[in-house]
Amino acid sequence: MSKIGRMRSSRFLASSIGVACAAVLALPAALPAAAAIPAAPALDTTSASEQSATSAQAASAGAPAVDAATASPSGRTQSLPLVPRATDRGLGPTAAEQGLGRRDVRSFSLVGVVWDDPDTELFGRVQVRTRARGTTRWSGWQDVETHNHEHAADPDTAERASSRVRGSTAPLWVGESDGVEVRVRAEVSGRTAASGVQALPDGLRLELVDPGTGVPDAVATQATAPAAGPVADPPPVGTPVDASRLGGLTVESAAASAVNADLAPLGATVIPALSRTATEAGLADLEPGMKPYIGPRPRIVTRRGWGADEKLREPDFLYTKKVQAAFVHHTASGNNYSCGEAASVIRSIYRYHVVSSGWRDIGYNFLVDKCGNIYEGRAGGVAKAVMGAHTLGFNTNSMGIAVIGSFGTTNPPAAAVTGIAKLTAWKLGLYRANPQGKTDLISGGGNLYAKGKKVRLNVISGHRDGFATECPGGRLYGKLGTTRSEAARYQGR
């Protein structure tokens, strides 16, 4: 079977341990230099008991408590319960406004608000202001996008039904900060909620995410070596792993990398771009006699390239049958980041999706930054049909691509639009999908289409085509026609 054939065929649920074992069996005695492991960031050596004691002391002093379980060399999450604002203190959970006054906190770069019930929406306004790290300079009030429940796993799936899942706002990137203030005000039908009526969800908490340092200079130092040979089929779960042959990779990291072994060496931080000729040759081998309509494989930064902590996510990979459509999103996390910070933004979103929102992994299959760089999202293999949690009701047989930023009133950079076109031309081409065509998907349930309804959609659609939402923002949505025609051109149509 050709490499593309192996990439496209996969089980619905694959064990990370099994994949890692397969990777070990296929490894040479030593990893190639291109897969050398950069030094890990310094560990937080504070014990769990010491962190618990510190958190208790901090809470008694009015400082934020930090959940020791979320502390990690790859980042940290501070989770702070919101309280009724001064004028509503006596109303408890029925308070129409909750928040936290200005306070010092540990360093963070991304914020969001979560609550107990994922099926409850937050009808209201969430605003934060932050203090730049090491300064006395406070930002103005910034709005956090509250309508985020449509970015989720499909109804009646195990991921959606997990007891860990919470309701959440979109995350907002604010840059390195060490002070915060937040206010959440309930609004009903455009009017402020009346006192005495519970209009805000239970269990509101402010999540402050520090992305950590990831893998230092991973992308810059990774050589774009030729693709490694195929790995063997995964051995049975429970086969002992020879850790000495992983070259410093954890089992989880090896598994996340091994599913891309047809494209790059184990431990690679970048999957290199391929020429049109090489890409077409792979597809022609899979389906002899058919013209290979596929765009050249673009350069893709792997999960290791952006510094994913693979121990955060659930260990198994979840697959769907094929990729018939691509849904385009924006992260709604703001545009105040540089391309050099994109990996930090992605690590923050990943941590927010998994630790704060309770998802199995980051929700998107791919992300694209303002410079057009393409990043691997949910683990399972960039060429495979990985089941995401991006378009409620239409995660089956689709993929989700998120442009990092907010594009309701801001035009998306041309480089980002080109990045979407290049990515879709290649990935959709693997599954014989025409970027300018239509396809039928079955709704898993949502606010536009009932569960079980067959819906005809553009092969490249915006999130709002499958769910009543502003995503991917009006300005980015307006560029999808250009994206479709450019992707078709890259495919040679």
Side-chain angles (χ1 to χ4, degrees), residues 286-306:
L286 178 64
E287 297 174 334
M290 296 186 66
K291 179 174 174 56
Y293 289 109
I294 188 170
R297 187 181 75 202
R299 177 181 182 272
I300 302 172
V301 178
T302 66
R303 289 171 64 89
R304 185 159 184 268
W306 53 261

Side-chain angles (χ1 to χ4, degrees), residues 150-152 154 322-331 363-368 388-403 420 423-424 427-428 439-444 448-449 455-469 471-472 476-477 480 483-484:
E150 64 270 20
H151 297 84
D154 287 347
K322 53 189 172 181
V323 179
Q324 294 176 234
F327 286 98
V328 177
H329 304 255
H330 65 172
T331 60
Y364 307 113
N365 297 103
F366 296 93
L367 298 97
V368 179
H390 48 83
T391 307
L392 183 65
F394 290 102
N395 291 306
T396 298
N397 296 337
S398 72
M399 67 175 179
I401 303 168
V403 180
I420 300 171
L423 174 59
T424 52
K427 183 65 181 275
L428 292 172
T439 191
D440 293 324
L441 295 177
I442 304 299
S443 173
L448 277 182
Y449 302 104
V455 182
R456 192 150 185 82
L457 294 165
N458 289 312
V459 167
I460 298 179
S461 285
H463 187 181
R464 63 176 62 178
D465 293 321
F467 198 97
T469 174
C471 185
L476 178 54
Y477 187 78
L480 294 189
T483 301
R484 295 181 190 109

Side-chain angles (χ1 to χ4, degrees), residues 293-440:
Y293 289 109
I294 188 170
R297 187 181 75 202
R299 177 181 182 272
I300 302 172
V301 178
T302 66
R303 289 171 64 89
R304 185 159 184 268
W306 53 261
D309 178 355
E310 299 296 352
K311 292 186 177 181
L312 285 182
R313 63 172 173 81
E314 292 193 17
D316 296 323
F317 305 136
L318 190 62
Y319 296 100
T320 184
K321 291 182 179 179
K322 53 189 172 181
V323 179
Q324 294 176 234
F327 286 98
V328 177
H329 304 255
H330 65 172
T331 60
S333 53
N335 303 312
N336 189 28
Y337 73 96
S338 68
C339 294
E341 294 175 311
S344 295
V345 177
I346 296 170
R347 288 197 303 275
S348 297
I349 293 173
Y350 170 47
R351 177 169 277 275
Y352 184 71
H353 282 181
V354 176
V355 177
S356 300
S357 303
W359 299 1
R360 64 179 292 120
D361 194 351
I362 192 170
Y364 307 113
N365 297 103
F366 296 93
L367 298 97
V368 179
D369 69 21
K370 61 175 64 176
C371 292
N373 296 304
I374 300 167
Y375 302 83
E376 178 182 16
R378 181 164 285 208
V382 298
K384 298 180 185 294
V386 178
M387 174 78 83
H390 48 83
T391 307
L392 183 65
F394 290 102
N395 291 306
T396 298
N397 296 337
S398 72
M399 67 175 179
I401 303 168
V403 180
I404 303 172
S406 302
F407 303 106
T409 58
T410 301
N411 288 325
V417 176
T418 298
I420 300 171
K422 289 181 176 179
L423 174 59
T424 52
W426 171 69
K427 183 65 181 275
L428 292 172
L430 292 176
Y431 294 87
R432 287 291 182 189
N434 182 348
Q436 290 186 304
K438 303 266 188 186
T439 191
D440 293 324

Side-chain angles (χ1 to χ4, degrees), residues 51-83:
Q51 288 177 337
S52 296
T54 300
S55 296
Q57 292 168 3
S60 65
V66 179
D67 183 355
T70 65
S72 163
S74 63
R76 182 186 301 273
T77 300
Q78 302 170 73
S79 186
L80 315 179
L82 303 191
V83 298

Side-chain angles (χ1 to χ4, degrees), residues 8 13 22 51 55 83 105 115 117 194 214 220 224 254 263 276 300 316 334 379 400 413 425:
R8 296 202 315 191
L13 187 65
Q51 288 177 337
S55 296
V83 298
V105 293
W115 54 93
D117 186 355
T224 54
L263 312 179
R276 175 184 295 278
I300 302 172
D316 296 323

Side-chain angles (χ1 to χ4, degrees), residues 118-194:
D119 294 321
T120 299
E121 289 191 60
L122 194 163
F123 294 103
R125 190 175 191 184
V126 176
Q127 293 181 301
V128 299
R129 53 183 172 186
T130 57
R131 184 184 62 209
R133 183 179 180 182
T135 73
T136 59
R137 186 177 68 253
W138 285 84
S139 72
W141 286 105
Q142 300 182 75
D143 285 301
V144 178
E145 175 58 59
T146 58
H147 299 297
N148 190 54
H149 70 286
E150 64 270 20
H151 297 84
D154 287 347
D156 302 324
T157 60
E159 180 173 6
R160 179 68 175 177
S162 169
S163 60
R164 297 191 307 110
V165 177
R166 305 184 202 175
S168 60
T169 67
L172 177 68
W173 176 260
V174 295
E176 286 192 89
S177 306
D178 58 14
V180 69
E181 182 176 8
V182 60
R183 60 190 184 193
V184 180
R185 183 69 177 174
E187 295 177 353
V188 179
S189 301
R191 295 183 300 175
T192 301

